Amino acid sequence: RDWTRNTQIIKNLLEFRRLKKRIMFSPESYKFSRHLKMATVEDRVVGLVLMALGVLIWVYYTTWTIVTPFLPSDHPVQDYFPDRSLALAIPGVAGVGLLGAIGLFVHKVAADKAAKEAKKKAS
C-alpha cells in the first residue's frame, strides 16, 4: 500500500514538473516582454557614470577609513581626507536622511491611498 502511495506521489511530482516547464516556456508567459524596451545610449551612459561615481566614492571612503589610520598624521596623503571623526558622522547623517525620505514617501503613499478611499466612499 505504501508503495502505491509513493508511486502516486512520484507520478504527481513528475506531472507537476512537466506542467511547470510547459507553463514557464509558453509564449503566454512572455507577454510582458513586449512592454520592455532596450536601453538607449543615453541610459547606458548615465548608468556608466553612476557606476563609476559609486566606485570612486567607495574607493575614497575605504581609503579614508581603512588606510589613513595606519599612515602618520604628517603624511601628504592625509591632506586629501577630512578628519576621521567625520568618517562615521557623514554616513550616519546620510543614513538618517535616507530613512527620513523613505518614511516621508511611505507616509505620502498611505495618505494618498486614504484620501482616494475616502473620496470613493463619499461618492
Side-chain angles (χ1 to χ4, degrees):
R1 185 170 173 121
D2 286 336
W3 175 254
T4 56
R5 183 170 177 256
N6 290 344
T7 306
Q8 187 61 39
I9 290 172
I10 291 171
K11 283 181 182 177
N12 290 343
L13 180 63
L14 292 174
E15 179 67 17
F16 173 74
R17 284 187 176 172
R18 189 180 64 77
L19 288 174
K20 184 178 168 187
K21 278 185 182 177
R22 204 170 78 202
I23 291 169
M24 278 179 48
F25 299 112
S26 68
E28 292 83 23
S29 65
Y30 293 105
K31 283 184 179 178
F32 71 91
S33 64
R34 65 183 165 174
H35 302 293
L36 299 176
K37 305 253 188 285
M38 289 293 293
T40 62
V41 174
E42 293 83 13
D43 292 340
R44 291 178 185 205
V45 169
V46 168
L48 180 64
V49 167
L50 288 175
M51 288 290 292
L53 184 65
V55 168
L56 279 171
I57 290 171
W58 180 80
V59 167
Y60 181 84
Y61 185 76
T62 303
T63 305
W64 181 23
T65 56
I66 295 176
V67 175
T68 58
F70 296 107
L71 297 175
S73 58
D74 59 344
H75 197 279
V77 172
Q78 296 281 9
D79 297 337
Y80 296 105
F81 299 98
D83 187 31
R84 278 188 224 128
S85 62
L86 294 175
L88 294 176
I90 292 172
V93 169
V96 168
L98 181 65
L99 288 175
I102 291 170
L104 284 173
F105 176 74
V106 169
H107 176 71
K108 182 185 178 315
V109 168
D112 289 350
K113 185 177 179 182
K116 191 183 287 186
E117 287 177 3
K119 185 178 178 182
K120 192 176 184 181
K121 266 188 182 176
S123 346

